[in-house]
Amino acid sequence: YVQGGGPQGTRAVNTNPRDVVERHLTATRSLAPGPDLVVWPENVIDVELFVDSPERDEIAAEARRLNAPILVGITEEAVGVDGFLNAQVVVEPNGEVTGRYEKVRRVPFGEYMPLRGLLKSIGAPTDLVPRNAVAGTGPAFLDTSIGRVAVVISWEVFFGGRGRDGTSQGGQLLVNPTNGSSYTGTVLQSQQVASSRLRAIESNRWVVQVAPTGFSAFVSPDGKVSARSGVSEQRVATHTLELREGRTPYNLLGDLPFVAAAALALLACLGIQRRSTPSPVLEVSGDPGD
């Protein structure tokens, strides 16, 4: 993984996107040829159209030098609508962009503003999200020259169904490119590592989590975390991972058993409450002879 580093507490509207690209290019250029796959974080390249951009040429040059595909997070203009796309793409050593996954689950108040008109009318800072992200619809995987890779972008890692979608369709590795640089501290970053651990165990896959300012880490199929980066540091880390196949019970059944168990527990609690509620006692006052 490649973590470019930089300050926390920054927002896209107040940041020069080229600074972010330069940090990640600098970090990548420190990597010697040899890896089979390189993973960049979510939306570290912000351009109008990636395939025609100078940034695409720079990524292709690094992929060619390393002789390895690079998975890179981009945001670009949506065609025909007022919005933007958040995607992870594959740049192969020959320079071709051969795969693309557009984020399906968007972050409310981060990537789109629900009830924008109402919130704006009462003075909410809706300008912090000036345009809405357009939700993707495709399956959660990317095909690369080393095999199929399942992808969950950013907070999609908190939803088991997104990882299940990619691994159930043959993803041999799960990657979580994310971007928490608008936050400060480590609370969110720690929650995300915990979610990556859960996804790894559920799917029996290795997980690569990578963020521009941390945390980035490798997570084994039994949930062990290694090479976790520090906040704001620039870091490149390598690890030998096993590409895995097969479907786990969670791949097969999803959340259904847990939803059923929760429903049964609720019904049991209601039944216990009903049995334990005492019957009302009617008290009558007056003259016994009446």
Side-chain angles (χ1 to χ4, degrees):
Y1 70 70
V2 175
Q3 177 173 307
Q8 284 193 308
T10 60
R11 296 180 181 274
V13 293
N14 301 321
T15 303
N16 183 348
R18 186 62 200 179
D19 292 342
V20 182
V21 176
E22 290 289 351
R23 292 189 189 108
H24 286 81
L25 283 172
T26 298
T28 304
R29 287 165 182 157
S30 71
L31 185 62
D36 299 299
L37 182 70
V38 178
V39 187
W40 276 30
E42 175 195 20
N43 60 36
V44 290
I45 293 180
D46 185 357
V47 292
E48 184 172 345
L49 183 63
F50 177 69
V51 294
D52 292 334
S53 68
E55 286 80 3
R56 178 263 181 97
D57 295 335
E58 291 169 320
I59 298 295
E62 285 303 297
R64 185 164 54 251
R65 181 182 69 85
L66 297 170
N67 194 30
I70 299 179
L71 307 189
V72 57
I74 66 170
T75 57
E76 62 182 16
E77 298 296 317
V79 178
V81 296
D82 181 20
F84 68 94
L85 298 169
N86 181 349
Q88 198 77 10
V89 298
V90 183
V91 181
E92 292 285 354
N94 63 5
E96 293 185 14
V97 179
T98 59
R100 179 186 181 100
Y101 168 67
E102 294 178 358
K103 186 178 182 182
V104 172
R105 279 190 176 265
R106 301 166 299 159
V107 180
F109 307 104
E111 291 177 313
Y112 74 98
M113 189 65 65
L115 304 175
R116 182 183 294 273
L118 174 63
L119 292 174
K120 186 175 182 179
S121 69
I122 61 176
T126 57
D127 57 325
L128 292 177
V129 187
R131 296 179 305 150
N132 290 337
V134 177
T137 58
F141 64 79
L142 290 169
D143 285 323
T144 76
S145 55
I146 69 161
R148 179 163 289 182
V149 176
V151 183
V152 288
I153 297 178
S154 189
W155 86 320
E156 287 186 324
V157 77
F158 291 102
F159 301 90
R162 296 311 303 152
R164 177 177 177 241
D165 182 46
T167 56
S168 295
Q169 298 188 64
Q172 299 172 288
L173 168 72
L174 182 59
V175 298
N176 175 224
T178 184
N179 188 344
S181 56
S182 62
Y183 294 85
T184 57
T186 61
V187 174
L188 174 75
Q189 292 86 340
S190 298
Q191 290 175 340
Q192 196 152 3
V193 171
S195 295
S196 289
R197 295 180 66 194
L198 184 56
R199 301 290 86 83
I201 295 168
E202 284 176 348
S203 63
N204 192 35
R205 301 294 197 275
W206 279 89
V207 176
V208 181
Q209 178 178 317
V210 57
T213 61
F215 292 135
S216 302
F218 300 104
V219 184
S220 68
D222 60 359
K224 293 180 180 178
V225 179
S226 58
R228 190 171 82 169
S229 66
V231 166
S232 294
E233 77 167 317
Q234 185 173 102
R235 183 170 180 181
V236 176
T238 60
H239 202 78
T240 301
L241 313 180
E242 179 187 7
L243 298 179
R244 295 195 166 195
E245 298 180 347
R247 303 184 71 179
T248 65
Y250 182 76
N251 283 138
L252 294 169
L253 301 174
D255 294 327
L256 181 60
F258 306 102
V259 173
L264 289 174
L266 178 60
L267 291 174
C269 290
L270 292 174
I272 292 171
Q273 182 184 28
R274 194 171 289 118
R275 287 196 300 271
S276 62
T277 302
S279 299
V281 176
L282 180 64
E283 296 184 2
V284 179
S285 63
D287 188 339
D290 289 346

